[in-house]
């Protein structure tokens, strides 16, 4: 029997029991749940990563839904036995979730897209510049009291103007990163871009490469010794996606052998740990998975996660466009009666939310709106 876990309780007499394994930023998400008849229990344990036993103890024997850690068969079946029907990650990536196990147990899995695109791209752009211009090394040098006057060779880095930026994984975040890096000065020729035929072409040609793929079997160790070897010796490699996309042991060896090759890393293969030797590399800028850490974004993520589970409790349909979640984020407005993003909606046969204006247009046969829906790959409108 798992030992009890410390919790903070909101709206103790609420009909539905919602458990959050972490305290999340802001208060709107708490209000939204408490005002809708949910008893909210927030885990207040100080350890960062909860064990399976800790989470089992939190689920207990009656739990309607669960917000946010590594989730597989053991936890989803326990949630189901406790009467639970929904789980939401407070993240857009859900490689920590075994969605098949959730499907088997009939649990809806939410995530939080659309609210962290720019904030993550901004961090990737910051890492690109910080690595290229050796900002962290220079900062440490300054604080150590080592600066004794301007020198022509002091912390010479890479000029990015006119260089080639490669983006691997041009989804929402990769595209936002590209837009940020392609800024041009007034009067200059527009920046050009092309879709590379192979990933190897990007690795060979680019001076700065930012990784934005999802993590799955096909992207595990996408950056391996062979691919590191074809990159330019002075390239900058940035990763704000998921750690295992890079073979980190091979990366450490590459950084040792190529002191002018630089990396900016937000994520690590064995998070929260770094592979031996990485922390000693001056040509690596490392930050603790903070890509989405802006106040607006983190509060928005908490709100979307809460609304995913609340929507499931209320029997709401799933929002039709996870790229456009602003209506859920307006601080003082009532959010739409929908779950913002349920990744296994199709598998669970959930209905999609279609805004009233679009329903009207659909009924009059407006083709452009049907096209809009199919572009979003949300065609299975069982009912509107
Ligand atoms: O996937 C995400 O949303 C981020 O990595 C969490 O910050």
């Amino acid at each position: 029997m798992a030992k009890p876990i410390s919790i903070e309780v909101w709206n103790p007499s609420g009909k539905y029991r919602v458990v959050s394994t972490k305290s999340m930023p802001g208060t709107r998400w708490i209000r939204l749940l408490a005002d809708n008849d949910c008893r909210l229990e927030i885990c207040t344990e100080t350890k960062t990563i909860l064990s399976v036993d800790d989470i089992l103890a939190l689920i207990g024997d009656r739990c309607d839904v669960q917000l946010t850690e590594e989730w597989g068969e053991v936890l989803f079946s326990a949630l189901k036995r406790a009467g639970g029907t929904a789980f939401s990650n407070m993240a857009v990536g859900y490689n920590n979730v075994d969605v098949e196990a959730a499907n088997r147990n009939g649990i809806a899995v939410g995530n939080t897209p659309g609210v962290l695109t720019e904030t993550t791209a901004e961090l990737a752009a910051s890492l690109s510049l910080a690595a290229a211009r050796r900002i962290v090394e220079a900062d440490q040098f300054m604080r150590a009291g080592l600066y004794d006057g301007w020198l022509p060779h002091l912390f010479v880095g890479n000029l990015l103007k006119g260089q080639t930026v490669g983006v691997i994984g041009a989804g929402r975040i990769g595209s936002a990163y590209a837009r940020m890096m392609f800024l041009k000065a007034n009067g200059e020729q527009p920046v050009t871009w092309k879709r590379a035929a192979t990933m190897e072409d990007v690795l060979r040609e680019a001076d700065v490469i930012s990784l934005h793929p999802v993590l799955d079997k096909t992207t595990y160790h996408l950056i391996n010794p062979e691919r590191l070897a074809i990159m330019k010796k002075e390239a900058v490699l940035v990763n704000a996606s998921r750690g295992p996309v890079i073979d980190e042991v091979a990366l450490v060896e590459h950084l040792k052998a190529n002191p002018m090759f630089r990396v900016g890393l937000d994520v690590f293969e064995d998070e929260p740990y770094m592979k031996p030797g990485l922390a000693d590399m001056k040509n690596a800028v490392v930050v603790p998975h903070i890509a989405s850490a802006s106040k607006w974004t983190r509060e928005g993520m908490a709100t979307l996660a809460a609304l995913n589970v609340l929507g499931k409790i209320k029997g709401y349909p799933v929002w039709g466009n996870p790229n456009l979640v602003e209506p859920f984020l307006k601080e003082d407005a009532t959010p739409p009666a929908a779950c913002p993003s349920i990744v296994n909606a199709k598998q669970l046969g959930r209905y999609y939310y279609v805004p009233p204006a679009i329903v009207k247009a659909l009924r009059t046969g407006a083709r452009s709106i049907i096209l809009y829906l199919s572009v979003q790959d949300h065609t299975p409108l069982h009912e509107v």
Side-chain angles (χ1 to χ4, degrees), residues 90-94 112 116 120 240-242 267 289 291-292 298 301:
M90 185 204 174
V92 62
Y94 51 91
T112 62
L116 44 69
T120 303
S241 60
R242 287 292 181 264
V267 287
H289 203 146
S292 64
R298 286 282 166 90
M301 290 163 79

